[in-house]
Amino acid sequence: MLVLILGGTSEARALAGVLDEGHTVLSSLAGRTSKPLLPPGEVRIGGFGGADGLAAFLSERRVDAVVDATHPFAARISANAARAAATTGVPLLHLRRPGWVERPGDIWHRVRDLAEAAALLPRLGRRVFLTTGRQEIAAFAGNDQWFLARSVEPPEPPMPTRLATVLDRGPFTLDGERRLLAEHAIDVLISKDSGGVAPKLTAARERGIPVVLVDRPPLPLGEVVPSVADAVDWVTRKRYGT
């Protein structure tokens, strides 16, 4: 059984490792970083050419099932996967980790998009820890707050005038996040609701720092599971026609 995993997330890598025994696994990465963490098994890097290109790929490679384990904010890829699966009749599953849940002591401001986050900032703080990824930094180019941006690779213009960068890749520790917020006198945090372990949210809660949280885009219609174990069960059922 050939399983195509649309990946780039830790869940995608874990799923490829589990399915590597007894399945043929092909993982596809978007190629947005120069040195991605590669999963086990065969890997392709780069786009498909939209939904039509992905549909053609599914037919050419005779893919038996597709697991969309992309980032919760990779809306275009998920939409293309849904269209391609509908066109070809290949079963599709969306694997999405649960979003974050507000806890006592949190000061969260949920927004629909990055533009709304940028507009809200002047009311919340002057020293901003920006953890939305390097491709989203441009949304804050017009803001005059001081920004600390963390990303795997250096950001490119347009960028805020007052910007410092930290090049790092998770997982991050709670002690590390505490030190970072203290050393840079951060008074507001911006993040996308990616889900998963997030010590930065705990550190912000401890310091009473407001968090601007960008809500996820909606998923296309289809079956969704929250964990790698659930995705393994789904693939197994498809393998045996159940």
Side-chain angles (χ1 to χ4, degrees):
M1 181 176 182
L2 175 57
V3 181
L4 173 64
I5 301 175
L6 305 177
T9 60
S10 58
E11 289 85 0
R13 291 189 294 274
L15 180 61
V18 174
L19 292 182
D20 203 30
E21 294 292 333
H23 299 82
T24 302
V25 176
L26 168 58
S27 296
S28 178
L29 308 181
R32 292 181 177 176
T33 58
S34 59
K35 296 180 180 179
L37 296 176
L38 298 179
E42 183 183 352
V43 178
R44 70 175 301 280
I45 297 177
F48 291 95
D52 292 341
L54 177 53
F57 181 87
L58 297 180
S59 297
E60 291 166 5
R61 289 296 303 266
R62 297 184 179 180
V63 172
D64 295 297
V66 179
V67 179
D68 168 27
T70 55
H71 192 275
F73 283 79
R76 181 178 299 178
I77 300 174
S78 295
N80 287 343
R83 287 178 53 196
T87 298
T88 59
V90 175
L92 168 68
L93 177 73
H94 300 288
L95 169 57
R96 287 292 184 277
R97 70 187 78 148
W100 292 317
V101 177
E102 193 167 359
R103 295 177 55 183
D106 285 327
I107 308 171
W108 286 6
H109 300 266
R110 285 193 174 271
V111 295
R112 292 168 296 180
D113 53 34
L114 293 168
E116 190 174 338
L120 181 62
L121 264 187
R123 308 206 313 261
L124 299 179
R126 299 295 302 172
R127 297 182 65 83
V128 184
F129 184 26
L130 185 60
T131 64
T132 57
R134 67 187 178 96
Q135 293 182 319
E136 281 76 25
I137 291 176
F140 302 90
N143 286 64
D144 62 1
Q145 290 83 18
W146 181 89
F147 288 87
L148 176 67
R150 181 167 66 194
S151 58
V152 176
E153 297 187 353
E156 298 178 354
M159 299 180 291
T161 303
R162 304 168 64 202
L163 175 72
T165 59
V166 173
L167 301 183
D168 203 357
R169 189 197 301 266
F172 304 105
T173 66
L174 179 55
D175 284 342
E177 301 292 57
R178 287 167 171 160
R179 285 194 299 270
L180 188 147
L181 296 182
E183 289 172 2
H184 296 278
I186 298 298
D187 58 11
V188 60
L189 166 67
I190 298 182
S191 181
K192 296 186 291 189
D193 187 4
S194 302
V197 179
K200 62 187 175 184
L201 297 180
T202 302
R205 184 188 312 119
E206 292 175 348
R207 293 179 64 86
I209 293 174
V211 176
V212 180
L213 202 60
V214 182
D215 285 331
R216 298 179 177 189
L219 270 174
L221 294 177
E223 193 169 355
V224 184
V225 296
S227 72
V228 171
D230 291 323
V232 171
D233 289 342
W234 181 87
V235 171
T236 302
R237 285 190 281 110
K238 295 303 175 185
R239 181 179 184 183
Y240 294 103
T242 61

